[in-house]
Each structure stands twice: as structure tokens, then as C-alpha cells.
Amino acid sequence: MDILQIVTLGLVASLLYIILKNVNQTFAFFVILITGIVIFLSIIQQINHIFQLIQSLGAKAQVDGMYLETILKIIGIAYIAELGASITKDAGLTSVANKIELAGKLFILLLAIPIITAVIEAILQFIPSA
């Protein structure tokens, strides 16, 4: 699915939502939910290409696989948390969306700790000891 199809799908879903929200709020929400899922599923293949490119670049640069895997996990968590938060905001549950975003940030921080530790250790190796 290319970008024009995705935008068209989004616009049609938005118009349907506007029309249906006064008639049947539940059905209108399901239109938005299904549209979000369809768009996400249509871009998964593109995301896979990006991950493969990052992995090949990391292999060429001889970057430790653990770091690349962690970075890819962080990217995945960010996108999944954003998608979940957006869907819950569409449902009118802003407080739940905020909690999803907070959980995503905490998981990202947990995954980033080994990378932060490695950077600090590398910096400390360059500083002469007293």
C-alpha cells in the first residue's frame, strides 16, 4: 500500500467517523480502530526493510549486535506505544493514553541502561585516573 492509498483510507475513515459519531459512537470508534490496524499492517513490511537496513549497516560498521538489537527494540516500543496511545485517545481515554506513553518511556529507559553504561565506561577510559 503506498502513501496515497494510506492517506485516502485515512480520509475516508475520518469522514465515516464524523458521520457515524452522532449515530452510533461505538461503530464510529471501530471504524477508526480497524483503519489504524489496517494502516499499521500495511506498513509493517516497510518497517521490516528499515530494520534489515539498520542491521546491515551495523554489520558493516562492526557494531555489537546487542546494541543494534536494543536500538531496534527501542524503536519498536516507541511506535507501538504511540499507536496504542493514539487509539486510546481516539476512544476518549486520554488518561489511559498518558499511562501507555509513560510505560513506553519507562521500557525505553530500561532498555537504554546498558547502552548508557557502555558510553559512560568508554568515556571513563579516556579520562586519566588520578
Side-chain angles (χ1 to χ4, degrees):
M1 191 178 279
D2 69 346
I3 189 65
L4 290 176
Q5 292 172 326
I6 291 172
V7 170
T8 303
L9 176 64
L11 291 174
V12 169
S14 298
L15 290 173
L16 281 173
Y17 176 79
I18 291 169
I19 293 168
L20 293 174
K21 73 177 180 178
N22 295 327
V23 177
N24 187 342
Q25 186 75 21
T26 305
F27 188 68
F29 172 70
F30 280 120
V31 167
I32 296 300
L33 179 66
I34 291 171
T35 302
I37 291 169
V38 168
I39 290 173
F40 183 73
L41 291 176
S42 69
I43 62 171
I44 282 182
Q45 187 175 12
Q46 302 303 324
I47 293 171
N48 188 29
H49 289 303
I50 293 169
F51 284 171
Q52 289 175 350
L53 177 65
I54 291 172
Q55 287 176 336
S56 68
L57 289 174
K60 287 179 185 176
Q62 297 177 349
V63 176
D64 187 359
M66 182 199 70
Y67 297 129
L68 282 178
E69 184 178 319
T70 302
I71 290 169
L72 293 175
K73 284 180 183 179
I74 288 171
I75 293 169
I77 288 171
Y79 281 120
I80 290 170
E82 176 65 26
L83 178 65
S86 295
I87 289 172
T88 53
K89 282 180 185 175
D90 289 342
L93 302 170
T94 306
S95 63
V96 175
N98 291 338
K99 304 309 182 281
I100 291 172
E101 290 173 346
L102 177 63
K105 291 173 185 176
L106 287 174
F107 279 109
I108 288 171
L109 182 60
L110 283 173
L111 284 174
I113 288 173
I115 294 174
I116 294 169
T117 303
V119 169
I120 291 172
E121 287 174 356
I123 291 171
L124 291 175
Q125 288 178 356
F126 291 115
I127 298 175
S129 59

